[in-house]
């Protein structure tokens, strides 16, 4: 029986619940010093003077770094990181201030408390300039991005405007989403330690190899001299996919101080210097025939970026693949503000984009007087709408049908405001969820040890999603060993390299490498066991036997001992091949939800959600369900709560804490019913899995907005939907 798919418990669970799992800020090093960042308090200008004398004399302070005395870096601190993107870092190289909250000095002390106290007495005088902080104004000077993480900024096939003008039924509306900020439970943290010319970084990151490359390039040293260690990460969600200033600052400080330095960001420092989801304004125009067939789609997106660097929230991406339509145009523009550079935040583009597109589809359904699910089915994309390429696998039709059945959608009256329970107006809404499937190159090694257990390694990450567990399962099947007899290790650049744990790619990328390494190891063992009869060898539960002669049995440990007792090892590299050109690869889901709106107070609750997903083969049914529940909860959060409030006077995010940056608590979440289609996408990769990290947050904000309309008759085209939008 296959170990893959089984709902086994997390292999790292006991380490986590006992506190044994070591996170970046928890590594104990001798003579460890603590650094605290001093942040700018203006949005634009320069530092006229910085007085660090009081800080330098403060108890326990080891040193203060600012642009006056910081080591000069080879490229002025501009690092080029590939992938995922270039990030302009703030590394104390000059007196320019680019945004409020930018690191402008670093205080290093013997304790964290001494560093905080020292940072408080650094005095800065600025020459202020007028910042651009107003999205409405910045929009008028919007520019086209040079590139996006995936795809081109603008695409068009057919003639969308002409088809729109001639359409029998049209909707044309503008939807907005706010700035949002990642808040993993573990904020960013780095410990930097130099031993001579060699730098070790204990870092909370989604991408150890990316950190190594970025830091090496920024410091102008060979990547081989940098080791990045990250065995446990307390959540990533995109913010830890790039290397930010604090990582390099820790390395600079440790070198100057001649001792290891820890730099852990405080919660308020998550708001600004380490990215967040850009604000968007999205025009979606749909044209259809009276029978519901789409004849035109336009999706024009403007998102905010930073003056110091471009980042695109690619909200038009789902529109390019979700529905069959022969006249489609999509554009992406950027409005530059004097703020920190935004970045990837869970399902970048797909979450904000499906809110707009799926709201517009609901509006079209009402314009047509057609059931919203029927409208989706009438425009089902049997192949990639732009290229005509077949999907590697797609079971969205099954998702729609099964989720609708479980939800009871057939009983839904079309008319808004037609269901109530006392003071509560009840609404039912639905939307399509979607996220692209990609693979990245990855490698792995597997070693059989003399006691018959195996050590398997890949330089990937577990950002809390279950990489340790799933890779153990993959190795168990490929090696013919019980999962308890496998030790899977990750999170160290000394291991075979793998890509970023972002874009929902870890399982799809790393599992094929782990599988291949383990299969090679098993083949080598079979050769030792029965030379010339390898094809007849059966490997199961740590024993080899011969199909033709089942009595001939030997344990893995015994085979190794017979061969001299040395460990046996194999390595493998895996990456996508020609299938990438042959197929369109994307995951899908159908989300249905009920909202209740207090008629007098406008309070919105979401008592139940049903989500059905087509995501390829499930590697672990329990972890998969957890991923989707987490994504749906975040979708509720995005729909009803989250927003980073920028002070338009000085560019500070004013709700930079978890008391005022609202996220759901248990009482905010109702019943969540998640199920998966029985799918195995071996056209996409040898393990048949497409990745499930991000699809959960997509679709659901639109489904909630649509349910709010159904409950109240009020179409809210902005997120978050608050009670004052309804009363
Ligand atoms: Mo995802 S935004 O790549 O963590």
């Amino acid at each position: 029986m296959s170990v893959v798919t089984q709902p086994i418990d997390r292999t790292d669970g006991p380490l986590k619940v006992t506190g044994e799992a070591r996170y970046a800020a928890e590594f104990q090093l001798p003579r460890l010093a603590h650094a605290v960042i001093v942040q700018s308090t203006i949005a634009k200008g320069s530092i006229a003077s910085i007085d660090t004398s009081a800080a330098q004399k403060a108890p326990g302070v080891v040193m203060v770094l600012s642009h006056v005395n910081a080591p000069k870096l080879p490229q002025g601190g501009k690092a080029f990181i590939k992938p995922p993107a270039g990030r302009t870092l703030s590394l104390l190289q000059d007196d320019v201030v680019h945004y409020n909250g930018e690191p402008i000095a670093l205080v290093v002390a013997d304790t964290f408390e001494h560093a905080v106290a020292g940072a408080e007495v650094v005095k800065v005088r600025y020459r202020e300039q007028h910042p651009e902080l107003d999205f409405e104004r910045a929009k008028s000077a919007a520019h086209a991005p040079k590139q996006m993480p995936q795809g081109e900024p603008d695409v068009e096939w057919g003639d969308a405007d002409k088809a729109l003008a001639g359409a029998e039924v049209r909707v044309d509306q503008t939807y907005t989403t706010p700035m949002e900020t990642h808040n993993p439970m573990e904020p960013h943290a780095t410990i930097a330690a130099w031993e001579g010319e060699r730098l070790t970084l204990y870092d909370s990151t989604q991408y150890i190899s990316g950190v190594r490359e970025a830091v090496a390039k920024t410091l102008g040293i060979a990547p081989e001299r940098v080791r990045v260690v990250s065995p446990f990460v307390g959540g990533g969600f995109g913010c830890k996919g790039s290397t930010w200033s604090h990582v390099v600052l820790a390395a600079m400080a440790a070198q100057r101080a001649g001792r290891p330095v820890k730099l852990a960001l405080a919660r308020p420092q998550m708001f600004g210097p380490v990215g967040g989801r850009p604000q968007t304004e999205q025009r979606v125009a749909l044209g259809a025939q009276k029978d519901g067939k789409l004849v035109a789609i336009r999706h024009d997106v403007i998102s905010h970026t930073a003056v110091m660097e471009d980042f695109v929230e690619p909200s038009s991406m789902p529109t390019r693949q979700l529905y069959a339509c022969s006249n489609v145009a999509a554009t992406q523009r950027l409005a530059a503000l004097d703020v920190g550079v935004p970045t990837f935040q869970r399902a970048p583009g797909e979450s904000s984009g499906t809110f707009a597109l799926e709201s517009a589809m609901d509006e079209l359904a009402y314009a047509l007087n057609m059931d919203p699910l029927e409208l989706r089915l009438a425009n089902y994309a049997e192949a990639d709408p732009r290229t005509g390429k077949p999907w590697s696998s797609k079971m969205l039709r099954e998702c729609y049908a099964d989720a609708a059945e479980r939800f009871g959608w057939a009983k839904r009256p079309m008319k808004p405001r037609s269901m109530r329970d006392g003071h509560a107006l009840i609404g039912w809404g639905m939307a399509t969820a979607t996220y692209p499937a990609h693979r990245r190159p990855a490698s792995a090694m597997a070693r059989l040890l003399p006691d018959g257990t195996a050590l398997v390694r890949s330089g990937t990450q577990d950002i809390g999603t279950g990489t340790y567990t799933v890779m153990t399962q993959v190795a168990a099947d490929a090696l013919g060993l019980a999962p308890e007899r496998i030790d899977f290790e990750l999170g160290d650049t000394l291991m075979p390299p793998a890509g970023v744990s972002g874009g929902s790619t870890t399982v799809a990328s790393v599992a094929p490498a782990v599988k291949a390494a383990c299969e090679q190891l098993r083949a080598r063992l079979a050769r030792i066991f029965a030379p010339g009869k390898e094809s007849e060898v059966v490997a199961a539960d740590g024993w080899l036997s011969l199909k033709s002669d089942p009595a001939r049995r030997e344990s893995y440990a015994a085979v190794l001992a017979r061969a001299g007792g040395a460990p046996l090892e194999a390595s493998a590299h895996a990456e996508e091949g020609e299938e990438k050109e042959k197929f369109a690869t994307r995951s899908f889901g159908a989300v249905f939800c009920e909202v209740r709106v207090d008629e007098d107070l406008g309070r919105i609750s979401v008592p139940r959600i049903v989500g059905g997903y087509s995501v390829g083969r499930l590697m672990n049914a329990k972890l998969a369900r957890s991923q989707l529940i987490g994504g749906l909860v975040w979708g509720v959060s995005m729909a009803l709560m989250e927003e980073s409030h920028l002070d338009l006077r000085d560019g500070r995010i004013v709700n930079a804490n978890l008391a005022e940056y609202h996220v759901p608590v248990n009482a905010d979440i109702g019943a969540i019913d998640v199920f998966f289609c029985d799918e195995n996408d071996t056209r996409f990769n040898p393990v048949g899995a497409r990745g499930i990290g991000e699809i959960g947050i997509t679709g659901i904000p639109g489904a909630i907005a649509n349910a709010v309309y159904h409950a109240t008759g009020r179409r809210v085209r902005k997120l978050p939907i608050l009670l004052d939008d309804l009363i």
Side-chain angles (χ1 to χ4, degrees):
M1 191 173 74
S2 169
V3 181
V4 164
T5 76
Q6 296 303 311
I8 68 167
D9 290 342
R10 285 175 187 268
T11 58
D12 53 331
L15 287 177
K16 285 185 171 168
V17 297
T18 57
E20 288 289 308
R22 198 80 64 84
Y23 291 81
E26 298 178 324
F27 283 83
Q28 305 297 329
L29 299 180
R31 298 183 64 237
L32 182 67
H34 301 258
V36 165
I37 286 172
V38 178
Q39 295 172 275
S40 69
T41 56
I42 64 163
K44 187 179 182 184
S46 59
I47 298 168
S49 68
I50 181 159
D51 179 0
T52 60
S53 53
Q56 269 161 333
K57 279 186 239 125
V61 169
V62 174
M63 65 175 192
V64 183
L65 280 184
S66 73
H67 73 280
V68 177
N69 65 341
K72 290 293 166 226
L73 299 170
Q75 325 174 48
K78 199 171 168 70
F80 294 93
I81 309 162
K82 252 192 337 176
R87 283 285 172 270
T88 302
L89 303 173
S90 303
L91 301 174
L92 315 178
Q93 297 298 292
D94 58 30
D95 60 359
V96 183
V97 176
H98 303 89
Y99 65 94
N100 195 323
E102 184 173 19
I104 55 168
L106 197 68
V107 176
V108 182
D110 57 348
T111 67
F112 173 68
E113 290 75 13
H114 281 150
V116 170
E120 276 170 6
V121 295
V122 172
K123 298 227 167 14
V124 185
R125 279 206 171 74
Y126 300 98
R127 276 184 290 267
E128 281 195 69
Q129 292 174 319
H130 187 73
E132 183 56 272
L133 297 166
D134 183 27
F135 184 76
E136 291 306 312
R137 209 169 39 223
K139 247 169 48 185
S140 59
H143 65 279
K146 287 202 191 71
Q147 57 180 42
M148 296 209 298
Q150 307 278 346
E152 308 102 76
D154 294 4
V155 295
E156 176 154 21
W157 64 94
D159 187 337
D161 287 333
K162 190 167 155 227
L164 204 54
E168 289 173 337
V169 181
R170 263 188 305 277
V171 297
D172 188 346
Q173 294 291 352
T174 298
Y175 306 85
T176 62
T177 63
M179 285 186 186
E180 295 166 10
T181 305
H182 319 74
N183 275 285
M185 281 172 64
E186 178 206 25
H188 295 252
T190 306
I191 294 174
W194 290 86
E195 266 177 280
E197 301 281 274
R198 294 188 172 273
L199 170 65
T200 301
L201 294 163
Y202 303 88
D203 191 33
S204 181
T205 177
Q206 291 171 242
Y207 192 14
I208 53 174
S209 300
V211 170
R212 176 163 79 162
E213 189 183 340
V215 172
K217 278 190 180 168
T218 307
L219 297 179
I221 61 177
E224 296 71 35
R225 282 171 50 192
V226 181
R227 177 184 176 193
V228 181
V229 179
S230 188
F232 293 97
V233 177
F237 316 118
C239 54
K240 294 175 184 168
S242 315
T243 306
W244 299 98
S245 309
H246 66 275
V247 182
V248 186
L249 288 172
M252 290 162 65
Q255 193 164 38
R256 174 69 64 86
R259 58 197 275 194
V261 167
K262 181 198 296 197
L263 208 178
L265 298 192
R267 182 63 62 185
Q269 295 176 324
M270 298 297 289
F271 293 78
V274 288
R277 192 192 303 283
Q279 172 177 358
T280 72
E281 180 181 292
Q282 307 176 49
R283 175 195 172 202
V284 181
L286 304 175
Q289 297 170 182
K290 285 209 180 80
D291 63 1
K293 281 293 296 170
L294 284 167
V295 295
I297 309 178
R298 263 213 91 88
H299 194 168
D300 301 305
V301 182
I302 306 172
S303 59
H304 99 261
T305 187
V307 169
M308 64 193 285
E309 189 183 321
D310 277 355
F311 174 80
V312 187
E313 171 79 3
S315 307
S316 69
M317 292 303 281
T319 305
R320 303 169 187 205
Q321 288 194 296
L322 207 40
Y323 297 112
C325 183
S326 33
N327 302 288
V328 176
T331 64
Q332 295 276 158
R333 294 292 175 271
L334 292 172
L337 303 177
D338 290 299
V339 296
V341 185
T343 194
F344 312 95
Q345 182 167 324
R346 186 111 304 190
E350 307 286 328
S351 49
S352 50
T354 51
F355 161 65
L357 177 63
E358 292 299 284
S359 292
M361 286 294 280
D362 202 67
E363 298 204 48
L364 180 62
Y366 278 92
L368 291 159
N369 194 28
M370 185 173 184
D371 179 85
L373 173 56
E374 289 306 314
L375 177 63
R376 267 84 173 177
L377 290 169
N379 293 287
Y380 194 83
E382 301 288 356
D384 177 32
R386 182 185 179 190
T387 62
K389 281 183 196 177
W391 303 106
S392 57
S393 173
K394 176 179 181 180
M395 297 180 70
L396 176 57
R397 206 184 285 285
E398 290 80 351
C399 294
Y400 284 136
D402 295 353
E405 170 74 29
R406 280 171 174 229
F407 185 85
W409 185 257
K411 294 196 288 285
R412 176 184 183 268
M414 181 76 187
K415 219 162 86 62
R417 289 186 86 92
S418 52
M419 298 192 293
R420 67 158 61 230
D421 178 7
H423 279 278
L425 300 172
I426 298 173
W428 290 356
M430 61 85 56
T432 312
T434 184
Y435 195 79
H438 298 292
R439 284 178 68 183
R440 299 191 166 94
S443 28
M445 67 77 74
R447 184 186 297 156
L448 187 65
L449 302 174
D451 65 356
T453 66
L455 174 67
V456 183
R457 283 181 173 148
S458 176
T460 180
Q461 301 76 212
D462 189 331
I463 58 174
T465 46
T467 313
Y468 279 110
T469 312
V470 167
M471 295 311 148
T472 300
Q473 291 177 273
V474 171
D477 280 349
L479 286 173
L481 268 179
E484 298 75 32
R485 298 179 68 80
I486 289 162
D487 187 12
F488 180 79
E489 295 182 344
L490 52 71
D492 191 328
T493 50
L494 295 178
M495 298 173 182
V500 60
S501 286
S504 304
T505 55
T506 303
V507 163
S509 307
V510 179
V514 166
K515 183 171 190 271
C518 291
E519 284 173 351
Q520 282 176 33
L521 177 58
R522 192 175 75 177
R524 295 186 57 189
L525 193 66
R527 235 180 344 263
I528 298 172
F529 170 66
K533 294 185 184 168
E534 293 93 329
S535 60
E536 276 192 57
V537 175
V538 180
D541 210 16
W543 288 80
L544 296 174
S545 58
L546 268 189
K547 245 182 260 168
S548 56
D549 179 10
R552 183 147 170 237
R553 258 178 115 241
E554 201 171 7
S555 73
Y556 291 5
V559 178
L560 267 196
R562 191 153 59 75
L568 198 60
E569 195 170 304
S571 314
H573 177 85
E575 57 183 87
E576 58 194 355
E578 59 176 11
E579 72 279 4
K580 181 184 153 76
E581 301 309 319
K582 284 205 281 210
F583 301 107
T585 54
R586 191 170 257 280
S587 285
F588 299 93
V591 192
F592 294 77
C593 71
E594 174 173 314
V595 304
R596 287 176 175 237
V597 179
D598 186 296
E599 195 177 8
D600 305 315
L601 304 176
R603 254 194 92 233
I604 309 162
S605 63
V606 187
R608 63 189 185 103
I609 297 171
V610 175
Y613 294 92
S614 160
V615 291
R617 190 176 191 215
L618 289 195
M619 306 304 280
N620 178 314
K622 183 178 183 176
L623 290 172
R625 190 168 162 273
S626 293
Q627 281 295 294
L628 270 299
I629 290 173
L632 287 165
V633 168
W634 199 347
V636 173
S637 188
M638 188 174 175
L640 302 177
M641 295 181 188
E642 286 189 50
E643 176 167 13
S644 307
H645 293 281
L646 193 68
D647 190 326
L648 295 185
R649 296 166 304 178
D650 64 9
R652 194 87 174 173
I653 295 174
V654 292
N655 57 334
N657 59 71
L658 287 179
E660 293 163 290
Y661 186 88
H662 293 166
V663 294
V665 298
N666 242 330
D668 295 313
I669 300 300
I672 296 181
D673 176 14
V674 166
F675 70 92
F676 297 92
C677 297
D678 185 11
E679 193 178 6
N680 190 0
D681 192 356
T682 51
R683 284 163 156 181
F684 175 55
N685 71 20
V687 298
R690 280 199 299 274
I692 52 174
E694 303 183 62
I695 191 171
I697 193 179
T698 73
I700 178 69
I704 291 173
N706 297 340
V708 165
Y709 173 74
H710 188 235
T712 64
R714 181 87 55 99
R715 179 66 66 180
V716 182
R717 300 188 181 92
K718 64 162 264 275
L719 294 184
I721 302 171
L722 303 173
L723 43 86
D724 39 322
D725 294 312
L726 299 178
I727 54 176

